[in-house]
C-alpha cells in the first residue's frame, strides 16, 4: 500500500514583485535560482505559461498522415495532413485548432491557438537561414537519434546556447572550430540567437567543412538548428521536457533531397563519431544532480561569454509574468 | 560576501515549510504518547526529503579516515545526506571540506578522488584553490564587474578525532566538541587517538534509515539513558555484546545521533564505527569502519579481519530490515512503541518547524 500524502499547499505563481527581483538578479549576472531547475510547481507554471505558448519542432513532413499524436509540456496535440495538402493540428484536450507551420521538411507547432505565427515568433530567422544559402525546401529527412536524460529543460537550454564550455567539454569541437571569441559572431533576436564559428582548416570531425563557417541557431525555448556552409545537410535538436528533472532530445538529421545513398551513409558514419551530445548529456546530468540537493547556490555567469543564457532567462520571466 | 556568510545563508528551516499540519500532529502525538510514527514516515519520498534537508544535513556524520588525506592536495569526494562534498588537505596542512558544487553553473567540481594543488570544474574550467577560493575563471577579465573573491566554494565543518573524520554541512551547527553533550570518553575501550584504520565493510540495504537504526539498537544494544539527557542530546550511550575472533565480548556504544555509532569492545584492542548513508527513502548504505591499536601486529590484525568478515550478524540485520520495510510498504506495518531514532528525529523536526515559524521568508524559490 502506498500512502497518499495530501499536498501541503496549493501552487503559487511567483508574484510580479518576485519576478522583478529575479530580473534584476539576471541583470547583475546571476542565473535563475537553483529551485527553478527542480521545483515541481514552478515547472508546472513553466509548462503552462512558457512551453505551451511557444513554437516547437514536432516531426518531419513524411511522418504526418491521418493522425500524428504528440505531446508538448502536457499539451496533447494531433496533426493531420488534409486533402489540400496542408498540415493542420488541434489540441486533444480542448478540441480546438492550434497553430501548425511547415518549414522545409520540418513541421512546427504551438499549442496556444492565440500564438503569433512562426515568422513573428522567430522573426526574420527563415530569411537569415535562406541568406546563408540554406533553402530548407531542398532538404529531406535522413535519420534521427533520441536521448532521454535526467535534467531540467533549462539545464539543457543553458548548456546548449553557449559555447563557453566547448574548450573544456568538447575536445572534438575545440579541435575543429575556432575557439577565439573575437573570431566568432553572435547575434540575437527576441526568440532566437545565432552563433557563427569559423571551422579550422584542419577540421577533425567536421572535415567536410574545413575552412567554412558553422552556423548555430537556438530557437526559444527548446530547439537548435545547425549547419555549415558546406550546405549538404542540417540537423536540429528538439528538446521536450518529460518531468521537472527529465528531458528528451531528438537530434534529427536532414540532407539534400538529391543526395545519393552512399554519401548519406558516409555522412551518417562521420556524424556517429561525434561525442558532443553524449558529453553535453553527462554534463547536464551532473548539474541536475547538484540542483537536486536543494542547496546549490544561484549561478553567476560571465555576461560577455554567456549572455545568451540571460537573454533566454529574461524571456522565461517575461512569459511567466504575462 | 564572505565564505561564512554564504554558507550560513542557507536557511535550513525553510525545508520544513512543506510539512503538512497533519504530519506535524503525527510527530507531536508520537512524542506525547510514545507511539510509533505511521508507516509513511518510512516509505514516503517527500517526507524523506524533508527529514534529509531539514535535519540530517545539520547533523554530524562520519566521513572516513584521515589516511586518504596524507599529503597536501589530496582530495576525497563523497556524498553526505545527498550533498556532494570534497574533503582535502590544504596548503597549511589542515583538513578542510567544501560543498562540491561550482559557484558558476552548479556542476560538480571534483569528479573523483585526486591529488592536485587546485580543484578545476570541467564544465567551464573555473578553478578553485585548496582554500576554496575561486582562483581563475576563463575570460573573467572581459567582465570588469566580476570579482572572483565573491565566489568561493561553500565551506562545511570538518573535525578530525584521531584518525577519524567527521563533517557537518551546516556551518551554524554546534561544533563537534561543543555539542549539547560533549563527545564521549571510552570507559571500556581503546582511545580513539591511539588507533589506526584497518578496513571497511559496506552493505546496501533496502530500508529506511530510521528502521535500520531502530532495528540495530533493538538487536544489539540497550540504550542507557543518563541523567538530564532528554531528546536534545546528540550522544546516546548503550551497552551490548560484539563478536571478536568468534567470541562474544561486552562492548559499549556511543551513538552520535542520528545515524552513527562508535563501538568499543572490552578487549581494548580497537574500535569500530558504524555509519549510515541515506540514499533514498527506502535505501541506505551502511559502512562499518574498523580501527585497531597502532601497535597491533599484522598477524593479529589479519586474524581479526578474517573473523570479522565471517561475522554474518549485519547480514541478518539487513535481511530483517528489508522484510520490515516491505511490511511497511505493503500493510502499513506494525505499531511498535516509539523507538530512539524515530523519537530523536521527531524532536528535531518539531524544533525546525518552530524555527521556521519564527523566520518565515517571503519567497519559496530560495536563492
Amino acid at each position: 500500500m502506498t500512502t497518499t500524502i495530501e499536498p501541503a499547499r496549493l501552487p503559487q505563481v511567483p508574484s510580479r514583485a518576485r519576478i522583478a527581483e529575479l530580473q534584476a538578479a539576471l541583470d547583475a549576472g546571476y542565473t535563475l535560482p537553483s529551485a527553478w531547475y527542480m521545483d515541481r510547481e514552478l515547472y508546472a507554471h513553466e509548462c503552462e505559461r512558457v512551453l505551451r505558448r511557444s513554437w516547437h519542432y514536432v516531426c518531419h513532413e513524411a511522418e504526418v498522415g491521418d493522425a500524428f499524436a504528440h505531446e508538448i509540456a502536457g499539451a496533447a496535440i494531433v496533426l493531420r495532413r488534409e486533402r489540400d495538402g496542408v498540415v493542420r493540428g488541434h489540441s486533444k484536450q480542448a478540441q480546438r485548432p492550434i497553430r501548425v507551420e511547415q518549414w522545409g521538411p520540418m513541421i512546427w507547432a504551438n499549442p496556444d491557438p492565440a500564438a503569433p505565427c512562426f515568422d513573428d515568433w522567430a522573426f526574420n530567422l527563415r530569411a537569415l537561414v535562406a541568406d546563408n544559402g540554406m533553402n530548407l525546401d531542398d532538404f529531406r529527412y535522413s535519420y534521427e537519434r533520441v536521448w532521454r536524460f535526467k535534467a531540467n529543460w533549462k539545464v539543457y537550454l543553458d548548456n546548449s546556447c553557449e559555447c563557453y564550455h566547448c574548450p573544456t567539454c568538447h575536445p572534438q569541437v575545440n579541435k575543429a572550430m575556432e575557439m577565439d571569441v573575437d573570431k566568432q559572431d553572435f547575434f540575437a533576436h527576441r526568440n532566437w540567437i545565432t552563433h557563427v564559428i569559423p571551422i579550422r582548416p584542419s577540421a577533425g570531425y567536421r572535415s567536410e567543412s574545413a575552412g567554412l563557417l558553422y552556423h548555430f541557431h537556438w530557437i526559444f525555448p527548446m530547439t537548435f538548428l545547425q549547419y555549415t556552409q558546406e550546405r549538404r545537410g542540417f540537423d536540429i535538436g528538439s528538446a521536450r521536457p518529460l518531468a521537472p528533472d527529465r528531458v528528451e532530445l531528438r537530434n534529427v538529421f536532414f540532407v539534400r533531397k538529391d543526395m545519393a545513398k552512399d554519401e548519406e551513409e558516409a555522412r551518417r558514419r562521420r556524424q556517429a563519431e561525434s561525442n558532443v551530445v553524449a558529453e553535453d548529456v553527462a554534463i547536464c546530468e551532473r548539474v541536475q544532480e547538484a540542483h537536486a540537493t536543494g542547496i546549490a547556490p544561484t549561478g553567476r555567469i560571465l555576461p560577455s561569454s554567456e549572455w545568451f543564457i540571460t537573454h533566454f532567462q529574461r524571456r522565461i520571466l517575461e512569459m511567466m509574468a504575462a | 560576501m564572505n565564505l561564512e556568510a554564504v554558507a550560513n545563508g542557507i536557511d535550513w528551516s525553510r525545508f520544513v515549510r512543506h510539512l503538512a499540519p497533519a504530519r506535524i500532529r503525527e510527530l507531536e502525538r508520537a512524542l506525547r504518547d510514545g507511539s510509533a510514527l505511521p508507516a509513511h514516515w518510512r516509505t514516503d519520498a517527500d517526507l524523506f526529503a524533508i527529514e534529509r534537508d531539514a535535519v540530517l544535513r545539520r547533523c554530524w556524520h562520519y566521513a572516513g579516515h584521515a589516511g586518504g588525506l596524507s599529503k597536501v592536495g589530496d582530495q576525497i569526494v563523497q556524498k553526505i545526506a545527498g550533498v556532494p562534498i570534497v574533503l582535502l588537505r590544504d596548503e597549511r596542512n589542515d583538513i578542510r571540506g567544501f560543498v562540491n558544487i561550482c559557484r558558476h553553473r552548479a556542476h560538480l567540481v571534483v569528479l573523483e578522488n585526486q591529488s592536485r594543488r587546485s580543484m578545476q570544474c570541467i564544465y567551464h574550467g573555473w578553478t578553485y584553490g585548496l582554500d576554496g577560493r575561486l582562483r581563475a575563471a576563463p575570460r573573467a577579465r572581459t567582465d570588469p564587474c566580476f570579482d572572483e573573491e565573491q565566489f568561493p566554494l561553500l565551506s562545511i565543518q570538518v573535525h578530525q578525532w584521531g584518525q577519524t573524520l567527521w563533517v557537518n554541512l551546516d556551518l551554524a551547527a554546534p561544533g563537534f566538541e561543543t555539542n549539547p553533550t560533549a563527545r564521549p570518553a571510552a570507559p571500556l575501550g581503546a582511545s580513539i587517538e591511539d588507533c589506526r584504520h584497518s578496513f571497511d565493510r559496506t552493505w546496501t540495504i533496502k530500508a529506511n534509515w530510521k528502521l535500520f537504526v531502530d532495528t540495530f539498537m533493538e538487536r544489539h544494544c540497550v540504550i542507557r539513558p543518563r541523567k538530564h539527557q532528554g531528546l536534545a542530546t546528540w550522544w546516546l550511550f548503550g551497552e551490548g555484546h560484539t563478536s571478536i575472533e568468534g567470541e562474544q565480548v561486552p562492548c559499549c556504544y556511543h551513538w552520535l545521533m542520528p545515524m552513527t555509532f562508535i563501538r568499543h569492545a572490552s578487549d581494548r584492542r580497537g574500535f569500530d564505527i558504524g555509519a549510515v548513508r541515506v540514499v533514498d527513502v527506502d535505501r541506505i548504505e551502511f559502512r562499518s569502519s574498523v580501527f585497531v591499536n597502532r601497535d597491533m601486529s599484522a598477524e593479529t590484525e589479519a586474524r581479526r579481519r578474517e573473523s570479522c568478515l565471517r561475522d554474518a550478524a549485519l547480514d541478518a540485520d539487513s535481511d530483517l530490515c528489508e522484510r520490515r520495510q516491505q511490511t511497511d510498504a505493503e500493510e502499513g506495518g506494525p505499531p511498535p512503541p516509539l523507538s530512539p531514532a524515530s523519537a530523536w528525529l521527531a524532536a528535531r523536526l518539531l524544533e525546525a518547524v518552530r524555527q521556521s515559524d519564527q523566520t518565515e521568508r517571503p519567497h519559496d524559490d530560495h536563492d
Side-chain angles (χ1 to χ4, degrees):
Chain A
M1 183 191 77
T2 314
T3 319
T4 312
I5 305 295
E6 71 268 31
R9 61 200 174 123
L10 294 168
Q12 267 182 337
V13 186
S15 67
R16 274 174 192 280
R18 178 59 179 153
I19 299 256
E21 257 179 50
L22 292 171
Q23 271 159 344
L26 293 185
D27 293 341
Y30 290 88
T31 63
L32 291 172
S34 178
W36 281 60
Y37 293 86
M38 32 131 16
D39 188 272
R40 280 175 288 196
E41 290 175 23
L42 284 166
Y43 172 73
H45 291 307
E46 282 173 345
C47 285
E48 184 200 325
R49 296 185 166 226
V50 182
L51 300 169
R52 294 206 287 266
R53 293 180 186 176
S54 303
W55 281 91
H56 303 264
Y57 169 82
V58 177
C59 58
H60 62 90
E61 57 182 342
E63 280 179 290
V64 188
D66 282 349
F68 182 87
H70 189 64
E71 189 244 285
I72 299 169
I77 61 168
V78 180
L79 303 189
R80 170 195 167 93
R81 186 177 298 277
E82 303 200 340
R83 288 209 185 113
D84 58 4
V86 177
V87 177
R88 295 194 177 82
H90 67 269
S91 127
K92 232 171 158 181
Q93 287 120 333
Q95 285 298 326
R96 57 185 180 188
I98 58 160
R99 304 209 71 136
V100 178
E101 290 193 34
Q102 183 158 357
W103 181 11
M106 303 183 287
I107 310 292
W108 288 66
N110 188 324
D112 178 10
C117 67
F118 183 79
D119 280 331
D120 278 352
W121 181 265
F123 184 73
N124 224 16
L125 182 65
R126 281 207 236 207
L128 174 72
V129 172
D131 281 353
N132 288 334
M134 297 288 287
N135 179 357
L136 299 194
D137 292 334
D138 297 340
F139 293 81
R140 62 171 168 85
Y141 174 82
S142 175
Y143 71 99
E144 66 188 71
R145 293 179 73 184
V146 179
W147 306 74
R148 285 198 184 88
F149 51 100
K150 231 180 137 94
N152 180 266
W153 67 279
K154 296 188 297 305
V155 168
Y156 181 67
L157 165 63
D158 294 351
N159 164 273
S160 297
C161 74
E162 53 88 356
C163 202
Y164 180 36
H165 72 283
C166 295
T168 39
C169 297
H170 302 311
Q172 290 167 319
V173 174
N174 195 30
K175 202 173 150 203
M177 301 212 217
E178 182 54 71
M179 287 290 109
D180 177 353
V181 278
D182 291 337
K183 294 179 181 159
Q184 304 175 352
D185 250 342
F186 308 87
F187 43 101
H189 184 264
R190 191 172 162 76
N191 288 321
W192 55 263
I193 56 151
T194 287
H195 199 166
V196 184
I197 308 178
I199 298 171
R200 297 184 208 270
S202 54
Y205 85 118
R206 285 201 181 269
S207 57
E208 76 283 357
S209 301
L212 301 175
L213 290 179
Y214 160 83
H215 293 266
F216 177 89
H217 310 287
W218 186 284
I219 301 146
F220 183 78
M222 294 294 276
T223 314
F224 72 71
L225 168 66
Q226 60 179 354
Y227 50 88
T228 72
Q229 288 307 97
E230 170 231 20
R231 303 190 185 105
R232 300 292 294 161
F234 71 92
D235 68 284
I236 63 160
S238 167
R240 192 164 71 106
L242 304 175
D245 62 351
R246 204 164 280 273
V247 74
E248 177 190 86
L249 173 69
R250 270 194 302 160
N251 191 189
V252 189
F253 294 80
F254 298 87
V255 294
R256 288 236 165 235
K257 278 182 176 163
D258 56 4
M259 185 178 284
K261 275 286 160 208
D262 52 346
E263 185 188 346
E264 191 178 351
E265 270 306 306
R267 282 182 78 84
R268 191 171 170 159
R269 276 197 303 277
R270 226 177 16 253
Q271 280 154 348
E273 288 167 18
S274 163
N275 297 322
V276 175
V277 178
E279 285 157 356
D280 282 333
V281 165
I283 290 275
C284 289
E285 290 196 329
R286 286 193 291 263
V287 169
Q288 192 64 34
E289 194 183 324
H291 285 307
T293 65
I295 63 162
T298 299
R300 170 59 157 92
I301 64 160
L302 289 180
S304 65
S305 298
E306 304 166 277
W307 58 274
F308 288 158
I309 293 178
T310 314
H311 181 78
F312 284 143
Q313 294 196 344
R314 273 201 198 102
R315 282 294 291 130
I316 292 168
L317 290 179
E318 260 174 47
M319 291 184 80
M320 289 285 270
Chain B
M1 198 189 296
N2 65 29
L3 205 73
E4 275 63 34
V6 168
N8 284 331
I10 297 170
D11 170 17
W12 301 90
S13 64
R14 69 183 150 84
F15 293 109
V16 291
R17 249 172 256 154
H18 296 259
L19 205 49
R23 303 284 88 78
I24 296 173
R25 285 194 295 277
E26 283 168 3
L27 296 172
E28 289 166 342
R29 194 182 313 128
L31 285 180
R32 190 183 61 230
D33 304 344
S35 56
L37 289 172
H40 48 240
W41 285 92
R42 297 181 286 278
T43 55
D44 185 84
D46 290 341
L47 286 178
F48 167 72
I50 291 171
E51 282 177 11
R52 184 195 62 194
D53 297 350
V55 179
L56 304 184
R57 289 180 177 172
R58 308 164 77 187
C59 299
W60 282 93
H61 297 268
Y62 174 67
H65 62 95
L69 298 174
S70 55
K71 55 183 195 301
V72 172
D74 284 350
Q75 301 168 24
I76 292 176
V77 292
Q78 56 185 303
K79 275 189 180 179
I80 296 290
V83 174
I85 65 161
V86 54
L87 294 180
L88 56 79
R89 189 171 288 279
D90 73 5
E91 307 278 358
R92 290 193 287 188
N93 216 27
D94 292 329
I95 292 180
R96 299 186 63 170
F98 302 96
V99 173
N100 187 16
I101 298 177
C102 187
R103 296 296 307 276
H104 177 217
R105 298 242 310 270
H107 195 268
L108 303 180
V109 180
V110 183
L111 297 183
E112 54 189 23
N113 295 353
Q114 59 178 11
S115 193
R116 279 176 65 149
R117 290 291 176 112
S118 64
M119 294 175 274
Q120 186 172 52
C121 177
I122 66 150
Y123 199 171
H124 300 86
W126 283 33
T127 306
Y128 299 85
L130 297 179
D131 55 2
R133 284 211 166 91
L134 178 60
R135 231 197 249 160
R139 302 189 206 158
R141 281 192 198 155
T142 56
D143 282 298
C145 299
F146 185 74
D147 175 12
E148 278 94 340
E149 281 297 309
Q150 289 187 25
F151 303 101
L153 293 181
L154 302 188
S155 215
I156 63 171
Q157 293 196 67
V158 182
H159 182 82
Q160 182 171 359
W161 180 13
Q163 283 294 296
T164 64
L165 298 176
W166 304 80
V167 298
N168 192 318
L169 300 170
D170 181 7
L171 280 191
F176 191 82
E177 302 273 12
T178 55
N179 271 319
T181 43
R183 79 174 195 212
L188 284 173
S191 91
I192 301 279
E193 288 83 355
D194 292 338
C195 293
R196 59 181 164 81
H197 179 253
S198 177
F199 66 96
D200 281 359
R201 281 180 85 186
T202 56
W203 287 260
T204 297
I205 303 169
K206 285 182 241 161
N208 179 263
W209 70 272
K210 297 187 293 297
L211 187 60
F212 176 81
V213 172
D214 289 337
T215 301
F216 189 96
M217 284 183 176
E218 169 197 319
R219 282 163 65 86
H220 300 290
C221 81
V222 180
I223 299 294
R224 304 276 184 218
R226 290 178 170 176
K227 245 186 183 176
H228 311 305
Q229 271 194 2
L231 286 170
T233 188
W234 290 85
W235 290 99
L236 286 182
F237 179 72
E239 289 170 338
H241 285 81
T242 186
S243 167
I244 301 244
E245 294 182 52
E247 272 181 48
Q248 288 293 307
V249 295
C251 66
C252 69
Y253 287 86
H254 287 98
W255 280 90
L256 176 59
M257 297 305 286
M259 46 179 65
T260 316
F261 66 74
I262 307 174
R263 176 165 59 185
H264 282 96
S266 58
D267 73 339
R268 309 176 81 99
R269 306 298 302 277
F271 65 91
D272 65 298
I273 292 178
V276 175
R277 285 282 160 86
V278 291
V279 179
D280 213 332
V281 61
D282 54 0
R283 190 177 288 266
I284 58 162
E285 270 173 28
F286 178 73
R287 173 156 61 147
S288 165
S289 277
V290 176
F291 292 76
V292 296
N293 280 342
R294 280 182 201 286
D295 55 4
M296 183 180 284
S297 71
E299 195 187 325
T300 312
E301 190 181 349
R303 203 169 56 241
R304 287 173 77 100
R305 178 182 172 142
E306 210 173 291
S307 90
C308 194
L309 292 176
R310 277 200 308 272
D311 182 10
L314 214 284
D315 300 309
D317 296 339
S318 168
D319 288 347
L320 178 60
C321 285
E322 291 190 353
R323 282 200 304 277
R324 285 180 170 176
Q325 179 75 25
Q326 208 50 37
T327 315
D328 267 354
E330 281 163 9
E331 293 158 27
L338 186 63
S339 42
S342 304
W344 188 91
L345 187 267
R348 294 290 85 72
L349 272 178
L350 288 173
E351 260 173 35
V353 169
R354 279 193 292 275
Q355 200 180 331
S356 166
D357 290 345
Q358 287 161 12
T359 61
E360 196 62 39
R361 295 201 319 171
H363 308 307
D364 285 316
D365 58 337
H366 42 83
D367 48 348

